[in-house]
C-alpha cells in the first residue's frame, strides 16, 4: 500500500472537502481516514490515503493539489507516509 498524508489548511469556505475528494476520486486515490475541524472560521483537514491504484504519479498529484489549493484559497500539501513519519518522530 502506498500511503500518503494530505493536509488542507486555510479560511473555511463552501466545497473544500467536496472538491478535494472529487479530485482524489478522479485519480483513483482511496481515502482511508479523514479528520477535519473548523476553529473560528479556519479549516483544517488531514487525510490518510492509499495511492496504490492512482492513475498518475505522486509528484503530479502533489502539484495538482497545490494548484487546487490556490484556487480554493487554502494550502494543500501531500506527503508520502514514510517522510511524514520521519518528520514527526522527534
Amino acid at each position: 500500500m502506498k500511503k500518503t498524508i494530505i493536509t488542507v489548511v486555510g479560511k473555511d469556505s463552501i466545497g473544500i472537502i467536496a472538491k478535494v475528494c472529487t479530485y482524489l476520486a478522479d485519480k483513483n486515490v482511496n481515502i482511508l481516514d479523514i479528520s477535519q475541524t473548523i476553529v473560528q472560521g479556519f479549516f483544517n483537514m488531514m487525510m490518510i490515503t492509499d495511492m496504490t491504484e492512482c492513475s498518475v504519479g505522486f509528484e503530479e498529484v502533489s502539484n495538482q493539489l497545490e494548484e487546487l489549493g490556490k484556487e480554493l484559497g487554502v494550502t494543500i500539501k501531500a506527503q508520502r507516509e514514510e517522510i511524514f513519519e520521519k518528520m514527526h518522530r522527534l
Side-chain angles (χ1 to χ4, degrees), residues 1-7 17-34 47-62 64-65 76-80:
M1 187 179 309
K2 294 195 255 180
K3 287 187 182 176
T4 300
I5 311 302
I6 298 171
T7 56
I17 296 171
K19 289 176 183 164
V20 173
C21 290
T22 298
Y23 170 82
L24 295 173
D26 289 345
K27 300 297 185 235
N28 288 334
V29 176
N30 187 31
I31 298 169
L32 302 172
D33 198 0
I34 184 170
M47 306 169 98
I48 301 172
T49 65
D50 178 7
M51 293 187 60
T52 303
E53 303 294 323
C54 187
S55 59
V56 296
F58 172 81
E59 295 299 325
E60 187 171 342
V61 169
S62 180
Q64 289 178 352
L65 283 172
I76 303 177
K77 296 290 182 194
Q79 296 175 294
R80 290 185 175 97

Side-chain angles (χ1 to χ4, degrees), residues 53-88:
E53 303 294 323
C54 187
S55 59
V56 296
F58 172 81
E59 295 299 325
E60 187 171 342
V61 169
S62 180
N63 292 335
Q64 289 178 352
L65 283 172
E66 280 189 39
E67 288 302 313
L68 178 60
K70 289 177 186 175
E71 291 172 24
L72 298 172
V74 297
T75 301
I76 303 177
K77 296 290 182 194
Q79 296 175 294
R80 290 185 175 97
E81 178 186 37
E82 59 271 11
I83 302 288
F84 187 85
E85 285 182 0
K86 287 178 182 174
M87 285 177 53
H88 294 90

